[in-house]
């Protein structure tokens, strides 16, 4: 089993956890000193107060939106999906966008995204002049 090491880098940070035993992602919570008001159409970056260490260099952490925030409140990730490489040790931040027509408030402790660890295929690259044909 893979171990994800986590460190609090801000006072009041909340260590991510799964909401249920069947949850694929760990809930990432806002670690803010005060409320953050997102006006309609506005983007902002929310600190989580945590840093992580992934022990396997063929694994990365992916930050996904929480469906409830998007469906109910129009809050999405401004970068679509965030990628945290295995060699990154800085604080994890969440880039949010308010897609709604109303102001939305993010408070300390709000669950703002979810973190999922996934393997990826390491590869080497080769520049070529032609590519193999397919039926497409």
């Amino acid at each position: 089993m893979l171990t994800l090491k986590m460190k609090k880098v801000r006072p009041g940070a909340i260590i991510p956890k799964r909401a249920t035993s069947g949850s694929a992602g760990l809930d990432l919570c806002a670690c803010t000193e005060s409320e953050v008001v997102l006006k309609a159409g506005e983007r902002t970056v929310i600190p989580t107060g945590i840093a992580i260490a992934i022990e396997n260099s063929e694994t990365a952490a992916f930050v996904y939106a929480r469906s409830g925030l998007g469906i109910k409140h129009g809050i999405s990730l401004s970068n679509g999906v965030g990628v945290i490489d295995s060699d990154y040790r800085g604080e994890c931040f969440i880039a949010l966008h308010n897609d709604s027509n109303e102001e939305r408030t993010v408070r300390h402790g709000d669950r703002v995204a979810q973190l999922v660890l996934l393997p990826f295929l390491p590869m080497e690259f080769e520049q070529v002049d032609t590519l193999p044909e397919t039926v497409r």
Side-chain angles (χ1 to χ4, degrees), residues 50-84:
I50 62 139
I52 63 173
I54 303 168
E55 63 184 27
N56 180 338
S57 65
E58 295 180 5
T59 301
F62 294 85
V63 179
Y64 294 102
R66 293 191 66 248
S67 57
L69 281 181
I71 293 166
K72 296 176 187 172
H73 303 290
I75 301 294
S76 63
L77 297 182
S78 60
N79 57 338
V81 174
V83 179
I84 303 170

Side-chain angles (χ1 to χ4, degrees), residues 50-124:
I50 62 139
I52 63 173
I54 303 168
E55 63 184 27
N56 180 338
S57 65
E58 295 180 5
T59 301
F62 294 85
V63 179
Y64 294 102
R66 293 191 66 248
S67 57
L69 281 181
I71 293 166
K72 296 176 187 172
H73 303 290
I75 301 294
S76 63
L77 297 182
S78 60
N79 57 338
V81 174
V83 179
I84 303 170
D85 298 315
S86 65
D87 60 351
Y88 178 71
R89 295 296 184 267
E91 181 176 5
C92 299
F93 291 89
I94 309 302
L96 294 180
H97 183 262
N98 182 356
D99 295 318
S100 77
N101 294 321
E102 301 175 20
E103 284 187 352
R104 301 294 186 205
T105 302
V106 178
R107 295 173 180 83
H108 179 83
D110 284 354
R111 295 178 299 160
V112 291
Q114 55 184 324
L115 184 79
V116 177
L117 293 183
L118 295 170
F120 63 90
L121 299 173
M123 64 191 90
E124 293 189 20

